[in-house]
Amino acid sequence: MNQCDYKISIAGENSIIIYFGDRACDKNAALIADTVNKLKISIGRFIIDYIPSYASLLVIYDPISTDHDLIKMEIEKSLKNLVFTEPISDGILVELPVYYSSESGPDLHNLSKTVGLSTREIIELHQSIDYRVYAMGFAPGFAYLGEVDRRIAAPRQDTPRLKVPAGSVAIADRQTAVYPCQSPGGWNLIGLCPKTMFDAAKTPPTPIQVGDRVRFRQVTRREYIALGGEI
Amino acid sequence: MKSGFKVIKAGILSLLQDGGRFGYSHLGLCSGGPMDKEAFRWSNRLCSNPENSGVIEVSVGGLVMEAQCSCCIALTGADIPMHINRNWAAPWQTHLIESGDRVELGYARSGMRGYLAVSGGFRCEKIFGSMSTVPRDKLGGSRQDGSAIQVGEVLSCPTLQTLPQRYKLSEEVRPVRPQGNAKLRVVLGYQHETFDLDKKQLFFASEYTLTKDSDRTGCRLKGPAIMSNVGGIFSEGICHGAIQFPPDGQPIVLMCDRPTIGGYPKLGSVFSRDMDKLGQLAHGGKVTFDTIDIETARLALLSHEEEFLAIKPEPAEL
């Protein structure tokens, strides 16, 4: 059992950021999730938005009805007795099907050359870990998952693509993600996932939430199309 | 026929905006909303609308519409000439509109964004609690898909039931917007300790130029490069007004349509009252920075709010 170390900083006139150390790990993910829940109860009425990320939590509040000192005090109070034992919530485990191939993942071949592993080995290593959803941002429903095996970590493309297809499964450094919609992007594309990652008509609009876990499962081209995927 | 305005010319970039989309940042949805909040609020007040009603944010100008119902309109923000049936119509004033009237906006002589409000507010189906149009999120607007106002569409608004009060806001009490240069106050925060003192001094002593790559996502500035002692950070939440420094050292101020998280070091955030000024600065405009501590910023915000509510617009003659 260890005491939670954190640092609170000003972000702006209406926002505070809490840093939970300098690592992306299950412990920090759980602490951040617990903190959000606590703050919703204690100062939820002043809060406009929360943005959890790898090792931090941004809290945006209404500066007319409250002020920095009060929010900071309430955060300190909430965190004071936050002693990390084990994750209170481990999130749900969501399985995402992926059609890995050069056709669906145009960077798979280059990645293989970069990291010195066969495409088969890359595909196996990518499926070997239950990833944590650390953050959502960049675009609606874009979930930052971590961390991939060091052996398949690779830097972003020098020149980002103007159009990355929706559903693209990609790696950047030790992060992996599924592009929820077509957008520009510089990550290394290794496959396609047929699952809709952001649907405004659904509640919740995303199949995964920050704090959940994701496991990728390889499917064939035929299965990918049967699941609604498009090439 | 649907009650509203038929769009004859869409203009450079005309977007439906209400107060913004809040409560969904954790899913990656940015707030959107008006780039000049005070001008936005005045446009609604002049039409006796509730706060945060839907208006059109007209970038630069060029919007032409034909009324299909009787209503009131008011234009605030950038200095954009407006004509109703070819007669000049004063900005910052309520105007009565009859079905068939043609409302024509010219191009901004100063400022960047005008706010055109209508009595009862423009209406469309909201998405995630807001009609704010965010092209980068593909959310909001009349089609809920983040697309701008288009030629031929009819923007819905209620038909006037009773003759409302009409107002005008005299020039002395209108918000002052920069003509070519803006001084922005900064609340230091985030990674400001990772910038050496001489770098900070250089930043606050220098003049930056607003580049043409600036938009509702971010204002990209050009001037002396300021580097943090850390190259990148773990991606973290970005608030409205945050000033980030990519590796080239050229500051970017994050605006209404900013990405919700990012990994560049930040010095702090521009005070919200000054974000309105930045939202009206044209490309090529000059920007300088000054610091403001968080207590002073809040007091300035509260006293401004009090003043804003205390100003009573005068009745406009017929």
Side-chain angles (χ1 to χ4, degrees):
Chain A
M1 209 165 76
N2 44 49
Q3 189 73 33
C4 154
D5 286 325
Y6 59 87
K7 182 184 155 215
I8 300 174
S9 294
I10 291 173
E13 134 227 0
N14 64 348
S15 348
I16 278 185
I17 187 159
I18 313 164
Y19 294 104
F20 295 83
D22 52 6
R23 263 169 20 95
C25 59
D26 283 355
K27 177 188 157 180
N28 282 336
L31 280 175
I32 291 166
D34 291 350
T35 305
V36 169
N37 290 334
K38 282 205 168 69
L39 294 182
K40 274 183 183 168
I41 295 166
S42 61
I43 50 170
R45 64 191 183 284
F46 300 128
I47 306 291
I48 292 168
D49 263 303
Y50 301 90
I51 310 183
S53 192
Y54 289 92
S56 67
L57 173 64
L58 181 74
V59 178
I60 303 172
Y61 57 87
D62 171 18
I64 299 283
S65 61
T66 185
D67 67 13
H68 172 83
D69 290 342
L70 187 134
I71 296 284
K72 187 178 178 201
M73 201 174 73
E74 287 296 330
I75 288 173
E76 280 167 347
K77 222 192 282 175
S78 292
L79 294 180
K80 202 172 178 185
N81 302 315
L82 197 65
V83 174
F84 183 78
T85 45
E86 59 185 280
I88 290 169
S89 156
D90 204 22
I92 53 165
L93 177 64
V94 179
E95 195 176 76
L96 295 177
V98 184
Y99 167 42
Y100 299 96
S101 71
S102 304
E103 176 191 33
S104 53
D107 297 322
L108 195 55
H109 192 69
N110 270 340
L111 182 64
S112 158
K113 279 197 283 188
T114 309
V115 302
L117 294 171
S118 70
T119 56
R120 168 108 321 265
E121 287 167 315
I122 291 171
I123 293 165
E124 271 168 21
L125 285 171
H126 189 249
Q127 292 177 86
S128 67
I129 290 171
D130 288 350
Y131 300 104
R132 176 73 67 178
V133 183
Y134 283 115
M136 254 191 221
F138 173 65
F142 187 99
Y144 290 83
L145 311 173
E147 290 187 311
V148 301
D149 190 291
R150 282 184 193 284
R151 287 168 289 177
I152 59 169
R156 290 169 176 78
Q157 308 269 311
D158 288 339
T159 311
R161 281 187 175 83
L162 291 175
K163 282 182 185 177
V164 172
S168 291
V169 178
I171 292 175
D173 302 320
R174 294 194 64 194
Q175 308 171 104
T176 184
V178 181
Y179 280 81
C181 59
Q182 181 186 294
S183 65
W187 292 30
N188 302 287
L189 313 181
I190 61 167
L192 281 167
C193 169
K195 186 134 180 121
T196 303
M197 298 304 287
F198 184 82
D199 183 348
K202 279 194 179 154
T203 311
T206 55
I208 47 176
Q209 315 285 325
V210 170
D212 285 347
R213 287 164 304 132
V214 170
R215 178 182 296 170
F216 292 106
R217 177 177 61 88
Q218 185 172 21
V219 295
T220 63
R221 187 180 203 273
R222 186 191 294 265
E223 287 168 316
Y224 167 73
I225 288 165
L227 287 164
E230 287 169 26
I231 297 284
Chain B
M1 203 194 292
K2 199 162 132 189
S3 149
F5 280 87
K6 183 166 185 180
V7 180
I8 311 293
K9 283 183 189 164
I12 307 284
L13 177 69
S14 305
L15 302 170
L16 278 179
Q17 294 292 346
D18 57 16
R21 188 170 286 113
F22 299 104
Y24 299 97
S25 286
H26 61 289
L27 300 178
L29 276 58
C30 65
S31 62
M35 290 277 277
D36 180 347
K37 197 170 179 205
E38 192 179 8
F40 160 83
R41 292 177 78 188
W42 270 120
S43 70
N44 271 325
R45 267 187 79 180
L46 291 169
C47 288
S48 307
N49 288 344
E51 282 260 336
N52 299 330
S53 296
V55 313
I56 305 175
E57 181 183 272
V58 181
S59 288
V60 186
L63 177 73
V64 180
M65 304 195 295
E66 191 182 279
Q68 299 186 340
C69 62
S70 53
C71 57
C72 282
I73 60 168
L75 177 69
T76 67
D79 180 13
I80 298 175
M82 175 167 68
H83 289 84
I84 300 171
N85 299 331
R86 302 200 179 277
N87 299 316
W88 181 77
W92 302 90
Q93 183 174 327
T94 329
H95 297 277
L96 193 59
I97 297 285
E98 295 297 337
S99 184
D101 284 354
R102 191 180 168 98
V103 177
E104 211 160 332
L105 302 193
Y107 294 92
R109 290 175 292 213
S110 77
M112 276 292 280
R113 293 169 176 95
Y115 293 87
L116 185 70
V118 64
S119 47
F122 285 101
R123 292 181 177 178
C124 71
E125 199 180 313
K126 292 181 177 180
I127 187 154
F128 296 103
S130 165
M131 66 179 81
S132 280
T133 315
V134 180
R136 55 164 286 131
D137 282 355
K138 299 183 178 70
L139 289 175
S142 57
R143 285 165 293 278
Q144 293 84 53
D145 63 356
S147 56
I149 288 169
Q150 286 168 24
V151 173
E153 74 171 304
V154 176
L155 299 170
S156 175
C157 71
T159 300
L160 209 54
Q161 301 300 330
T162 54
L163 199 63
Q165 259 312 325
R166 275 160 288 162
Y167 301 105
K168 62 177 178 192
L169 194 65
S170 61
E171 234 161 294
E172 311 85 74
V173 289
R174 290 178 200 167
V176 180
R177 291 295 173 256
Q179 306 263 357
N181 61 75
K183 196 175 181 104
L184 309 178
R185 289 163 287 180
V186 176
V187 177
L188 290 176
Y190 280 119
Q191 291 79 29
H192 76 98
E193 284 155 355
T194 70
F195 293 83
D196 288 337
L197 191 61
D198 59 326
K199 299 275 172 33
K200 279 191 214 178
Q201 281 167 344
L202 177 63
F203 176 72
F204 286 106
S206 300
E207 186 178 76
Y208 287 85
T209 306
L210 187 70
T211 71
K212 61 176 173 42
D213 298 327
S214 303
D215 56 17
R216 287 183 47 89
T217 299
C219 282
R220 291 168 179 265
L221 303 173
K222 197 172 181 316
I226 307 294
M227 317 291 184
S228 151
N229 295 323
V230 294
I233 53 168
F234 260 134
S235 286
E236 63 183 28
I238 299 176
C239 65
H240 186 227
I243 312 169
Q244 68 178 22
F245 293 82
D248 66 4
Q250 300 295 314
I252 302 174
V253 182
L254 280 311
M255 309 300 287
C256 302
D257 292 0
R258 66 199 173 280
T260 50
I261 68 175
Y264 293 128
K266 296 175 284 303
L267 186 70
S269 301
V270 174
F271 177 36
S272 64
R273 294 275 306 115
D274 296 345
M275 287 297 282
D276 287 355
K277 295 181 195 165
L278 192 53
Q280 291 292 9
L281 194 66
H283 303 159
K286 304 293 178 197
V287 175
T288 52
F289 296 93
D290 201 353
T291 54
I292 184 170
D293 65 76
I294 196 159
E295 291 81 15
T296 312
R298 179 163 191 265
L299 290 177
L301 191 68
L302 288 180
S303 71
H304 171 262
E305 187 65 18
E306 226 167 86
E307 282 165 28
F308 175 81
L309 297 173
I311 298 171
K312 298 282 177 251
E314 345 163 4
E317 66 275 20
L318 285 168

